[in-house]
Amino acid sequence: MTEDLAGLRAIGWPYPGPVTDPQWAALLAAHPLARPARVTEQHRSGYVVAEGVEAGVAVESPPDWQRPPGYRKGMVPAEQRAAVGDWVLVEAGKIVALLPRHSAIKRGAAGEHYKQQLIAANIDTVFVVCGLDADFNPRRIERYLLLVQGSGAGAVVVLTKADQAAAGNPDAIAEALAALAGTAAQGAAVVALNARDRDDLGALAPWLQPGRSIVLVGSSGAGKSTLTNTLLGVERMKTGAVRDSDARGRHTTTHRALIPLPSGACLIDTPGMRELKPTGEEDVAENFSDIEALAEQCRFRDCKHEREPGCAVRAALEAGTLDGERYANFLKLRDEVAGAAGKLANRMAQKSDEKVQGKALHKRLDEKYGRH
Ligand SMILES: Nc1nc2c(ncn2[C@@H]2O[C@H](COP(=O)(O)OP(=O)(O)OP(=O)(O)O)[C@@H](O)[C@H]2O)c(=O)[nH]1
Ligand SMILES: [Zn+2]
């Protein structure tokens, strides 16, 4: 495997030398002829995987991953099948094993039937990108952080357009950081920079070391493409059209899921990250521990911090020690998570073989949110 290690490292292989994860080592030993590869695309019939910076190849998934929904017996749940970012073992054009993942970013998928989608696996850090312009929105940042929390990945808030903001108002950056004080107090790093300036991006170096995998999330216009280009040191994101016209031979195609960075880290670019809805498994309290600490002083143990007497959260609001918008967002996210959790519990309860688990979840939710 040594000669392939450089290629694997470029796309995020976490080990510079021998594999230290015992489960990974055991699977590698169990499949001596298989080669590790990383999933770059997921399709109904199979996957595209890469072993290095070259374009990926199509491979077949194990037969038991292919059983259609409705074929209950032996059906492998979606989260046990590979997703973009997963490491798999491939032998003779087939995936023979999924290496256990250390992080999984999920979202709740809207639709008639509640579903959870695994968007990306084995991400070390999610950069939550937000411009210091009219689009600056601490509430949206809180929402992204909520979805990252519990995934196993870390999160860093990257505030772009610091150059423009400072030119318009010398206090703009300090004001934005103050608006995010609640978020920073939860332990997330917050960095303000000019995404076009390579020197400014030095502040991101701690998360861009070799073998690390990162993703960028943020609304349109936040500066994700700009950041990517500056990280790469080249204009990549807008050159797609040119490459399209020069036909087959060159496989540096318009869209690439795994982008090796000069720092040695790997940027995962997957469209699924765009619209993030809670799955129902998030713990809102963990992202709002300031509010949770206040809640311990509320008169009622099950206080909803809405209209109850003796509510310490509302008292802090009135005293001005708790930001009103942060509080409003807490209520909104709490309700969204509870709604998604209710759907999740219903879906689990419907599945007869998982009835017991569903009931337990319902019970847990009742304790946490009251009857729903
Ligand atoms: N001055 C300045 N301009 C920036 C900065 N970051 C982004 N921009 C500009 O903001 C605009 C939008 O940035 P993009 O990088 O295209 O935003 P995006 O997040 O990729 O947007 P989508 O591709 O729609 O998701 C572009 O004109 C950038 O040049 C920054 O830090 N400073
Ligand atoms: Zn209360």
Side-chain angles (χ1 to χ4, degrees):
M1 210 182 96
T2 20
E3 71 271 27
D4 307 324
L5 188 60
L8 290 174
R9 281 292 273 173
I11 55 168
W13 182 255
Y15 301 105
V19 170
T20 53
D21 180 307
Q23 286 180 292
W24 282 37
L27 282 165
L28 284 161
H31 299 279
L33 299 176
R35 299 160 68 95
R38 194 165 203 189
V39 173
T40 66
E41 290 171 42
Q42 188 182 359
H43 300 287
R44 226 175 306 160
S45 53
Y47 289 84
V48 177
V49 301
E51 291 184 19
V53 294
E54 307 77 33
V57 295
V59 294
E60 239 179 77
S61 50
D64 55 349
W65 294 7
Q66 295 173 17
R67 302 213 168 111
Y71 189 97
R72 283 286 165 79
K73 219 169 131 210
M75 178 104 137
V76 179
E79 62 273 17
Q80 284 168 31
R81 287 175 260 161
V84 173
D86 262 320
W87 290 99
V88 292
L89 297 181
V90 175
E91 191 173 330
K94 292 193 173 89
I95 294 176
V96 293
L98 171 64
L99 298 177
R101 51 179 78 110
H102 66 78
S103 75
I105 297 176
K106 295 183 223 168
R107 68 170 177 189
E112 204 183 328
H113 299 288
Y114 179 77
K115 273 203 309 219
Q116 272 189 21
Q117 274 177 354
L118 180 56
I119 315 168
N122 297 315
I123 304 298
D124 294 287
T125 308
V126 177
F127 288 122
V128 177
V129 184
C130 186
L132 286 169
D133 52 11
D135 194 45
F136 177 66
N137 184 340
R139 309 290 81 84
R140 197 184 317 114
I141 293 172
E142 285 167 354
R143 162 181 289 268
Y144 279 122
L145 293 176
L146 175 69
L147 291 155
V148 176
Q149 169 243 313
S151 69
V156 174
V157 179
V158 180
L159 303 174
T160 59
K161 311 187 191 184
D163 51 318
Q164 283 177 351
N169 165 12
D171 298 326
I173 296 172
E175 285 167 10
L177 294 177
L180 287 172
T183 289
Q186 307 293 305
V190 182
V191 179
L193 45 73
N194 173 358
R196 293 168 165 173
D197 186 330
R198 207 194 286 207
D199 292 338
D200 270 22
L201 266 52
L204 304 179
W207 300 283
L208 297 175
Q209 287 159 8
R212 300 295 177 83
S213 294
I214 60 160
V215 293
L216 305 179
V217 301
S219 49
S220 181
K224 299 180 296 296
S225 308
T226 308
L227 260 179
T228 304
N229 288 334
T230 311
L231 285 171
L232 279 168
V234 292
E235 188 69 21
R236 169 193 178 265
M237 297 307 267
K238 290 186 185 84
T239 51
V242 181
R243 287 193 184 127
D244 262 352
S245 60
D246 76 13
R248 323 172 287 250
R250 300 188 41 193
H251 277 294
T252 39
T253 45
T254 51
H255 183 83
R256 192 125 215 223
L258 307 180
I259 307 168
L261 299 178
S263 72
C266 176
L267 172 66
I268 299 197
D269 184 15
T270 170
M273 296 294 304
R274 294 204 173 236
E275 207 203 327
L276 295 179
K277 284 190 167 55
T279 61
E281 290 175 336
E282 294 83 3
D283 185 358
V284 182
E286 204 174 295
N287 276 72
F288 291 88
S289 59
D290 46 344
I291 295 182
E292 210 54 24
L294 288 166
E296 285 178 14
Q297 319 292 320
C298 294
R299 185 178 306 162
F300 301 111
R301 212 185 67 92
D302 62 347
C303 183
K304 298 275 172 291
H305 326 307
E306 281 163 337
R307 269 175 210 88
E308 293 88 343
C311 173
V313 175
R314 297 213 51 104
L317 269 179
E318 274 147 37
T321 51
L322 173 63
D323 183 295
E325 290 180 23
R326 181 168 168 82
Y327 163 76
N329 201 40
F330 164 78
L331 292 185
K332 185 162 176 274
L333 292 174
R334 183 188 69 182
D335 289 349
E336 267 186 56
V337 170
K343 284 188 202 160
L344 180 63
N346 282 334
R347 196 197 53 158
M348 288 176 75
Q350 276 161 13
K351 285 189 175 179
S352 56
D353 51 343
E354 284 171 10
K355 224 171 203 160
V356 182
Q357 242 179 314
K359 273 188 190 152
L361 180 58
H362 258 302
K363 185 157 171 278
R364 221 162 18 92
L365 293 169
D366 282 347
E367 284 163 11
K368 208 149 138 195
Y369 304 110
R371 291 211 63 77
H372 57 272

